[in-house]
Amino acid sequence: MSTTLTPAPVPGAGAQKPRRASAGRLDPELILASLPDAVKKLDPRIMVRNPVMFVVEIGSVVTTVSAIAHPSVFAWAITAWLWLTTVFANLAEAVAEGRGKAQADTLRRAKTESVARRLVNWPASQAEEEVPGTALRLGDHVVVEAGQVIPGDGDVVEGVASVDESAITGESAPVIRESGGDRSAVTGGTKVLSDRIVVRIATEPGKSFIDRMIALVEGAARQKTPNEIALNILLASLTIVFLVAVVTLQPMATFAGAPQTMIVLVALIVALIPTTIGALLSAIGIAGMDRLVQRNVLAMSGRAVEAAGDVNTLLLDKTGTITLGNRQAAEFQPAQGVSRDELADAAQLSSLADETPEGRSIVVLAKTEYGLRAREQGELAHATWVPFTAQTRMSGVDLAEADGLHQVRKGAAGSVSNWVSANGGSVGADVAQLVDGISAAGGTPLVVATKVAAAPAKVLGVIYLKDVVKEGMRERFDELRRMGIKTIMITGDNPLTAKAIADEAGVDDFLAEATPEDKMALIKREQEGGKLVAMTGDGTNDAPALAQADVGVAMNTGTMAAKEAGNMVDLDSNPTKLIEIVEIGKQLLITRGALTTFSIANDVAKYFAIIPAMFAGVYPGLKHLNIMGLHSPTSAITSAIVFNALVIVGLIPLALRGVKYRPAEASSLLTRNILVYGVGGLIVPFVGIKAIDLIVQFIPGLR
Amino acid sequence: MSSTLAGWLQALALVGALALCYRPLGDYIAHLLTSAKHWRAERCLYKVVGVDGDAYQRWTAYLRSVLAFSVASVLFLYGFIRLQNHLLLSLGVPQMSPHQAWNTAVSFTTNTNWQSYSGESAMGHLVQMAGLAVQNFVSAAVGIAVVATLIRGFTRSKTDRVGNFWVDVTRICLRLLLPVSIVFALVLVANGVVQNFHGFHDIAALGGGTEGIPGGPVASQEAIKELGTNGGGFFNANSAHPFENPTGFTNWLEIFLLLVISFSLPRTFGRMVGDNRQGYAIVAVMGLFWVASAALITLAESHHSGSALQAAGGAMEGKEQRFGIAASSLFAASTTLTSTGAVNSFHDSFTPFGGGITIFNMMLGEIAPGGTGSGLYGMLILAIVAVFVAGLMVGRTPEYLGKKLGGREMKFASLYILTTPAIVLIGTGIATALPGERAGMLNSGPHGFSEVLYAFTSAANNNGSAFAGLTVNTPWYDTALGLAMAFGRFLPMIFVLALAGSLAKQQPVPASAGTLPTHKPLFVGLLSGVVLIVVGLTYFPALALGPIAEGLH
């Protein structure tokens, strides 16, 4: 393992607090800007995709014809408000799309036409030719140097460079991209800030990451998701039921001696069919994707967002998700007869040249706990640094002192013991006890030993390296458990260590010493039982598992293969975000359900407004149904239609923002939502229609 | 003892008896639907018919069997009725017209038992026994068989097989309907229901002249008429006739019989899906509607307004003095909520609201508890709709008993809830638009409209009771109502079977804390609300022009 390179700063990770799924403002300017689009969408070829609103549009046409034939204030009022109802529905969709468009424009700017320096016969020769970025094909190699824009998506195959990816991620700190390993993927449109890299192009022109992002946020690639289709079917069938109910009402009304005008019948149809949810349904879907984009997550399909709401099992990588990226030195435990300061001094000495986070944490601990100033490497001119190698599994320093060679070593218990034995020393039982104790507690023991001149080597003590669980993780896992989601921690640690961390973090289960095959097997096993699995991954060896998982979130820092395999990409490369993604998926479904309930519950009040208005003339007893005390038949029907149109506008912000969601078990969520949207949906229109009637009754021609 | 108190005691005894039967009967039906063992008699039957009793069918094959069996039944019954005057025991009744014979054949095959004829003057004993009574058994069995496939849709996974129609129907007839009917036919005989092969006896009437007293194998048909939620009376007066329903006890027993299977099937459901609480939730919704409906009808009928009603102590017109308001109301609620359609009083004479509730009961779709089998599948479809909307509100793709409700499932559920209202409303709309058909109404105005609405509601929902007052033995009504019955029976069955097939293919999703619980009081309330709102919204305009307009002065 090479640890010479400082890991790229992961933008947003750590510093970013877990955010709740919400946000998303409604800008009045955006509404105005979207109006022309809303009118354009009146095209029947577009409207027909939304059966409920298509019926409203046909109704609007019918009333228009009817109002021209028999003009009256009432006829024109109803006609106008029916057209408004249709426009409002389109407006909801246009506003939702508009927010994506703004994002797409920013992205387009990144997609400037670039000139690529294609390597003709790499690696055999370094000969290059200049071609337009659009001419690049899969498998081409290009060279990019400091100050140049990477012409297409691909993997770095030679070199290392710092890259400015702010065009995509919005994060200004540069990231490191290097050949080999899991940080090799670069994205077209991003800029190399330093050094020189050779990139193998991995996408065909027009299918690059940015192209797909633009298509996604603009909604061009939007397809109806399975759940949306199912809901549409239910809404269509309700629409048909109400159509039948109203069409057959006319002969019944004629029989009763009260035939109704076309205007009134159309008004009744529009009032009854579920226009509220029909109008907002696609806006809800678009806004759901948009909420992900705002969190810098790109979902490749709406299906993936829905699946996120259904996830039963979360596979979370320990490192970076549950624990802070790296283990940290927590304590120095000296061997018998050794003072703590002596141990701390040796530990610090052995770690000065160790640039791994663990090594640095030892120096920090020595300074904060024991006041040992970090000696500069230059101070020790006579030192020879012994780097960590996979063979020795130790690192340290050799100091050429006056009395001979002082050697300090630190490393895994086994390796250091061997070194001590080989140098004439022996490891005491107390040290073995310390090592076992730390292992059992889930920590990693690093043994420190010295050999001064010709004296036998001896163990000074043990450094306790500890995984630090991120703050607030336990609470999050508790929340997830209440939501019915099981969390499984994935780690390369041994089972003992894994268990200790799993217990501390409060995850439900763990997979220790995990290989990519183990991960894959675990996912398949969970899916076998009908569960949906979500995971994050970044490496090429994660790709099969990402593809197998129902929700696979690839880190943007990861390889191209991982990004292709997953169905979401997190531009911030923050594995904790998986939890937010699940919440957004749930919020999307809840918003649909809540507005459907609201929409249907609304019908009750509309009946009480319209039926007495239609028939109280012939059957005076039906006056008793006018419990709102509406002024007159025309004012009652007008008020119901106006309410129906206004409620769409009123609910656009809710559709875009999503209903409030807090993690809880199903029963309490349901109780709350039924109370708010079911019972609320029953009561609100009574109040609303009455209020509108109080105004409408003063309009001449409607009283 | 006042009649109100008697009514309460009868209702309480009914609840007690039904509760006692819930577990054993439900468990027994679950057992006979799942047992791998065939009776020897059954095995012989399968051999004769050429059916492999151990092989399950795909939903399409099951559907073909249902339809083939039903079409054959209609044709057979039609021929039987048309030819009966050439056969034994015909009692010299005249040949029935083709349209009335079509109507009757469809009516008995679809478990509707709408009767546009008068039993004692149009049917001989042989047709009653070998034609109509046979359909009483098998049409009830078909309903239970179809709901069995829907339950199997929930219990089975990754398969396209939902059951074997021939095995299901044979077992339900042989192991359930026949033995229970025989026992209760004997009980009815013991309590005074007639059972003989006599024709009319002429006897001297008290006021001079002669009266014809009919006879016939009544008790044997009466038991299955109620048990199989059929409702087609041996006599025109149905269960108001003293030879069909002589005493207060037989009246109570008949109500019990027409409720007992449908109220026990939720147990079968719970048992088969491996969670009895699911059954309790469903039966709670059914019970809620039944209790509310019986109470409201009783209230409407005993509400005194007008001097004639006050003198009689309630709306006694069209009701038997033997039974009184309470027992008549209980019978009316039970028969209209179960797709039985037997009557012991005449719903046309009920108060506007009382009669309106009987119409509303049928409009619920015969689900509380509904017809044998058909009641449960109707309720389960509404449960699926309720779960779909509520499931979204807990933030998951909706799932019921571990099966996801996706586009395909919602398509069939939506078509189901669409079909019956469409038939009722289109039929009523056409009837009110045709000048000739309006003449069939006895009354004008909202009450006349209610008569037509009742007829189509009863036919499309396979209830079979009549509001009376409407002359339906005309070619138009016989044909139209026959079509309403056929479509109202078989279109929903197609959707239920398709749904069962689609559910059976799925792999179940394990339940977790995030799953919508479908066994808690919250779900009972939710499902009740969905039933009320879906039905209420669909039929409100029609009801407003009928019973509501008549009832609100």
Side-chain angles (χ1 to χ4, degrees):
Chain A
M1 183 177 79
S2 159
T3 50
T4 49
L5 193 86
T6 313
V10 180
Q16 195 184 28
K17 273 204 196 144
R19 274 185 298 188
R20 278 279 164 265
S22 66
R25 286 174 303 109
L26 188 63
D27 194 345
E29 268 177 47
L30 194 53
I31 295 186
L32 277 181
S34 305
L35 259 180
D37 276 340
V39 176
K40 261 184 235 156
K41 282 172 189 277
L42 288 175
D43 184 341
R45 283 166 299 179
I46 301 175
M47 289 297 291
V48 76
R49 276 182 245 156
N50 184 342
V52 180
M53 295 318 294
F54 188 57
V55 170
V56 180
E57 188 175 35
I58 293 176
S60 313
V61 173
V62 171
T63 52
T64 309
V65 173
S66 173
I68 292 170
H70 310 282
S72 71
V73 176
F74 173 65
W76 281 112
I78 296 293
T79 305
W81 278 98
L82 289 188
W83 281 112
L84 279 177
T85 309
T86 324
V87 171
F88 288 161
N90 291 343
L91 188 65
E93 194 180 85
V95 168
E97 285 172 353
R99 302 210 299 184
K101 281 210 182 85
Q103 242 142 354
D105 288 343
T106 325
L107 285 171
R108 265 207 197 87
R109 254 172 266 140
K111 209 188 150 218
T112 43
E113 198 51 37
S114 53
V115 175
R117 295 163 57 194
R118 181 160 67 186
L119 293 169
V120 184
N121 189 17
W122 192 85
S125 85
Q126 291 289 341
E128 52 181 76
E129 57 180 2
E130 294 215 335
V131 293
T134 48
L136 291 174
R137 292 282 174 276
L138 196 72
D140 281 353
H141 289 93
V142 293
V143 62
V144 192
E145 283 183 320
Q148 293 176 336
V149 172
I150 298 171
D153 296 357
D155 286 308
V156 179
V157 288
E158 186 187 276
V160 48
S162 63
V163 179
D164 172 11
E165 294 196 337
S166 61
I168 307 174
T169 61
E171 179 62 48
S172 54
V175 293
I176 300 296
R177 292 288 178 254
E178 59 179 333
S179 64
D182 289 343
R183 289 200 303 272
S184 64
V186 288
T187 312
T190 56
K191 197 171 176 187
V192 173
L193 294 179
S194 70
D195 304 284
R196 171 187 186 275
I197 47 173
V198 174
V199 176
R200 190 181 58 229
I201 298 299
T203 53
E204 293 288 349
K207 287 183 187 162
S208 75
F209 195 62
I210 285 206
D211 289 319
R212 274 191 295 165
M213 264 182 87
I214 292 173
L216 279 168
V217 295
E218 271 196 327
R222 204 178 112 72
Q223 284 176 322
K224 286 204 174 110
T225 57
N227 174 261
E228 212 176 335
I229 292 171
L231 183 54
N232 250 318
I233 290 171
L234 181 67
L235 296 179
S237 89
L238 287 176
T239 306
I240 296 172
V241 168
F242 288 126
L243 267 176
V244 171
V246 176
V247 169
T248 56
L249 185 59
Q250 182 68 338
M252 301 181 197
T254 311
F255 172 77
Q260 299 295 314
T261 64
M262 208 50 161
I263 303 270
V264 172
L265 289 176
V266 171
L268 181 59
I269 290 179
V270 172
L272 293 182
I273 62 176
T275 47
T276 314
I277 178 66
L280 298 173
L281 188 54
S282 71
I284 294 170
I286 299 170
M289 296 279 275
D290 191 50
R291 275 199 294 283
L292 276 180
V293 174
Q294 284 170 11
R295 280 167 182 70
N296 267 353
V297 177
L298 285 186
M300 297 306 166
S301 68
R303 187 185 279 262
V305 187
E306 263 178 29
D310 286 351
V311 160
N312 304 81
T313 308
L314 282 187
L315 304 192
L316 298 169
D317 276 326
K318 183 198 78 177
T319 309
T321 310
I322 296 170
T323 61
L324 292 173
N326 305 290
R327 282 167 294 201
Q328 296 189 336
E331 196 184 349
F332 297 124
Q333 298 182 351
Q336 265 172 12
V338 180
S339 80
R340 215 170 271 266
D341 289 332
E342 201 181 335
L343 171 63
D345 186 60
Q348 187 224 39
L349 201 55
S350 70
S351 306
L352 284 176
D354 187 348
E355 283 297 335
T356 61
E358 289 87 351
R360 275 181 288 156
S361 78
I362 293 172
V363 178
V364 169
L365 183 70
K367 185 177 171 186
T368 52
E369 296 283 312
Y370 302 95
L372 295 177
R373 187 178 58 83
R375 282 163 284 197
E376 294 299 323
Q377 288 190 32
E379 275 178 57
L380 303 159
H382 50 295
T384 315
W385 304 104
V386 182
F388 178 93
T389 67
Q391 281 75 39
T392 63
R393 298 177 66 206
M394 289 186 300
S395 62
V397 63
D398 291 350
L399 299 170
E401 299 286 346
D403 57 346
L405 191 68
H406 286 206
Q407 291 176 302
V408 184
R409 293 288 183 276
K410 75 161 199 293
S415 317
V416 175
S417 302
N418 290 342
W419 181 80
V420 169
S421 311
N423 287 288
S426 64
V427 181
D430 60 315
V431 173
Q433 234 171 25
L434 289 177
V435 167
D436 289 346
I438 292 171
S439 293
T444 307
L446 280 186
V447 178
V448 181
T450 58
K451 181 175 186 295
V452 178
K458 73 165 185 174
V459 176
L460 295 178
V462 188
I463 307 170
Y464 182 1
L465 286 184
K466 196 177 170 187
D467 263 311
V468 183
V469 173
K470 283 188 184 172
E471 231 177 289
M473 289 317 283
R474 180 172 269 282
E475 290 72 30
R476 283 226 126 166
F477 294 136
D478 287 345
E479 277 179 5
L480 287 170
R481 201 168 301 116
R482 276 201 298 279
M483 285 153 68
I485 296 173
K486 180 171 138 190
T487 44
I488 303 182
M489 182 182 85
I490 308 286
T491 171
D493 294 341
N494 66 55
L496 212 61
T497 312
K499 177 152 183 9
I501 297 165
D503 287 345
E504 191 185 342
V507 293
D508 296 313
D509 203 354
F510 63 88
L511 180 67
E513 289 171 349
T515 62
E517 292 77 29
D518 291 342
K519 254 195 205 183
M520 189 73 174
L522 176 67
I523 294 176
K524 283 190 172 157
R525 200 164 59 237
E526 292 284 312
Q527 288 175 334
E528 205 70 350
K531 291 181 179 163
L532 261 59
V533 182
M535 69 168 283
T536 59
D538 53 7
T540 300
N541 55 16
D542 282 333
L546 278 171
Q548 178 72 31
D550 301 280
V551 177
V553 182
M555 299 293 105
N556 192 43
T557 51
T559 60
M560 216 55 216
K563 287 202 237 177
E564 291 287 340
N567 45 18
M568 292 189 196
V569 176
D570 179 17
L571 299 174
D572 295 340
S573 305
N574 171 10
T576 320
K577 220 183 264 172
L578 195 50
I579 298 172
E580 280 179 60
I581 293 172
V582 168
E583 290 186 357
I584 290 173
K586 286 192 176 294
Q587 197 190 23
L588 173 72
L589 294 172
I590 294 177
T591 309
R592 269 188 208 143
L595 290 182
T596 305
T597 311
F598 185 83
S599 190
I600 296 172
N602 267 240
D603 279 7
V604 175
K606 293 177 193 161
Y607 263 136
F608 278 98
I610 298 183
I611 292 292
M614 289 169 85
F615 299 119
V618 50
Y619 297 133
L622 292 179
K623 274 203 306 261
H624 298 297
L625 292 183
N626 182 10
I627 52 177
M628 284 172 272
L630 302 179
H631 183 72
S632 70
T634 46
S635 79
I637 295 172
T638 312
S639 305
I641 292 299
V642 171
F643 174 81
N644 193 46
L646 289 183
V647 83
I648 295 174
V649 182
L651 288 174
I652 290 178
L654 184 69
L656 297 187
R657 197 179 61 230
V659 303
K660 205 173 131 207
Y661 173 72
R662 63 187 169 78
E665 66 174 49
S667 291
S668 58
L669 269 179
L670 183 61
T671 314
R672 178 183 176 275
N673 288 325
I674 285 183
L675 277 180
V676 175
Y677 298 98
V679 179
L682 280 176
I683 297 166
V684 167
F686 278 102
V687 179
I689 292 174
K690 177 69 189 172
I692 295 169
D693 184 72
L694 288 176
I695 301 166
V696 167
Q697 58 179 295
F698 295 111
I699 300 174
L702 292 179
R703 355 183 130 166
Chain B
M1 188 161 52
S2 81
S3 89
T4 319
L5 181 61
W8 278 109
L9 290 177
Q10 284 199 17
L12 275 179
L14 205 50
V15 171
L18 291 169
L20 273 181
C21 292
Y22 178 76
R23 283 176 63 167
L25 185 58
D27 287 350
Y28 175 67
I29 299 174
H31 169 75
L32 75 86
L33 288 175
T34 50
S35 162
K37 277 194 193 142
H38 303 291
W39 285 1
R40 191 173 298 156
E42 291 167 352
R43 230 180 271 130
C44 293
L45 202 64
Y46 301 149
K47 213 170 264 173
V48 171
V49 188
V51 169
D52 177 2
D54 293 315
Y56 268 21
Q57 299 167 304
R58 290 193 182 83
W59 77 264
T60 44
Y62 203 102
L63 174 65
R64 275 199 302 277
S65 307
V66 170
L67 293 180
F69 182 74
S70 302
V71 168
S73 298
V74 171
L75 292 176
F76 172 76
L77 202 52
Y78 179 83
F80 202 168
I81 294 169
R82 292 278 288 157
L83 295 175
Q84 68 159 325
N85 44 352
H86 305 294
L87 302 173
L88 289 173
L89 290 171
S90 72
L91 310 176
V93 296
Q95 194 185 25
M96 197 180 265
S97 67
H99 58 83
Q100 197 171 25
W102 138 263
N103 183 287
T104 307
V106 171
S107 172
F108 276 77
T109 309
T110 56
N111 197 255
T112 312
N113 304 35
W114 170 268
Q115 294 165 295
S116 78
Y117 62 90
S118 161
E120 50 272 59
S121 56
M123 291 291 175
H125 292 340
L126 191 64
V127 173
Q128 294 265 29
M129 282 192 306
L132 304 184
V134 168
Q135 282 308 318
N136 280 356
F137 280 95
V138 292
S139 68
V142 168
I144 300 176
V146 170
V147 81
T149 65
L150 184 56
I151 300 174
R152 290 189 192 113
F154 287 111
T155 59
R156 294 170 69 82
S157 66
K158 292 183 178 171
T159 174
D160 54 359
R161 312 277 158 156
V162 293
N164 186 316
F165 173 74
W166 308 104
V167 172
D168 288 342
V169 165
T170 308
R171 287 188 181 179
I172 294 159
C173 284
L174 287 187
R175 301 192 191 183
L176 175 70
L177 300 177
L178 262 176
V180 179
S181 297
I182 290 171
V183 169
F184 282 97
L186 293 175
V187 175
L188 287 171
V189 168
N191 282 280
V193 178
V194 301
Q195 178 78 9
N196 55 47
F197 286 104
H198 302 165
F200 280 88
H201 280 292
D202 286 337
I203 57 163
L206 288 174
T210 56
E211 260 178 60
I213 300 290
V218 178
S220 56
Q221 197 165 329
E222 193 66 20
I224 187 63
K225 171 189 121 183
E226 316 294 359
L227 186 69
T229 63
N230 294 287
F234 195 92
F235 303 118
N236 190 36
N238 212 310
S239 287
H241 197 291
F243 287 178
E244 282 199 29
N245 188 8
T247 67
F249 172 69
T250 57
N251 189 59
W252 180 90
L253 188 68
E254 289 183 10
I255 301 175
F256 166 77
L257 282 177
L258 65 87
L259 291 170
V260 68
I261 289 183
S262 296
F263 261 130
S264 299
L265 279 173
R267 171 72 180 192
T268 308
F269 166 67
R271 187 84 183 174
M272 282 172 76
V273 300
D275 182 2
N276 288 326
R277 297 172 309 173
Q278 304 289 346
Y280 284 117
I282 295 289
V283 84
V285 178
M286 291 175 166
L288 220 67
F289 276 94
W290 177 67
V291 168
S293 170
L296 285 174
I297 294 180
T298 312
L299 188 74
E301 295 311 294
S302 48
H303 186 68
H304 302 201
S305 71
S307 50
L309 299 190
Q310 271 170 3
M316 279 306 290
E317 181 196 307
K319 296 190 182 69
E320 280 285 295
Q321 198 63 48
R322 282 174 292 159
F323 307 133
I325 299 271
S328 300
S329 302
L330 191 60
F331 201 110
S334 304
T335 194
T336 48
L337 279 170
T338 52
S339 96
T340 306
V343 288
N344 75 347
S345 54
F346 287 86
H347 300 170
D348 191 32
S349 301
F350 275 39
T351 58
F353 284 128
I357 293 168
T358 62
I359 301 181
F360 187 76
N361 282 347
M362 293 187 288
M363 285 173 171
L364 290 174
E366 302 299 10
I367 50 167
T372 50
S374 60
L376 181 58
Y377 65 63
M379 185 60 96
L380 290 178
I381 295 274
L382 281 163
I384 283 172
V385 173
V387 166
F388 183 76
V389 177
L392 284 178
M393 282 196 285
V394 304
R396 289 176 66 87
T397 300
E399 66 216 21
Y400 187 34
L401 299 170
K403 296 297 177 91
K404 285 216 153 110
L405 305 177
R408 207 178 142 73
E409 290 74 26
M410 287 319 290
K411 181 169 78 191
F412 297 124
S414 296
L415 283 169
Y416 184 101
I417 56 170
L418 176 75
T419 305
T420 321
I423 299 171
V424 171
L425 293 172
I426 292 174
T428 312
I430 294 176
T432 46
L434 296 174
E437 313 318 323
R438 295 186 197 169
M441 300 176 203
L442 183 66
N443 300 77
S444 60
H447 197 77
F449 175 75
S450 295
E451 289 166 359
V452 178
L453 181 64
Y454 194 110
F456 278 95
T457 307
S458 173
N461 286 291
N462 298 138
N463 181 279
S465 68
F467 213 35
L470 182 68
T471 308
V472 286
N473 183 19
T474 66
W476 192 84
Y477 273 118
D478 271 338
T479 314
L481 292 173
L483 287 174
M485 289 186 275
F487 288 138
R489 174 76 166 178
F490 296 112
L491 288 180
M493 276 189 176
I494 293 173
F495 304 137
V496 169
L497 285 168
L499 182 62
S502 157
L503 290 173
K505 269 200 199 117
Q506 286 187 33
Q507 186 190 12
V509 184
S512 71
T515 311
L516 172 80
T518 51
H519 58 267
K520 294 194 176 163
L522 182 64
F523 184 72
V524 172
L526 179 80
L527 179 52
S528 308
V530 166
V531 170
L532 265 184
I533 287 201
V534 167
V535 173
L537 293 180
T538 314
Y539 291 108
F540 189 77
L543 287 171
L545 289 176
I548 299 179
E550 192 188 352
L552 289 173
H553 294 298

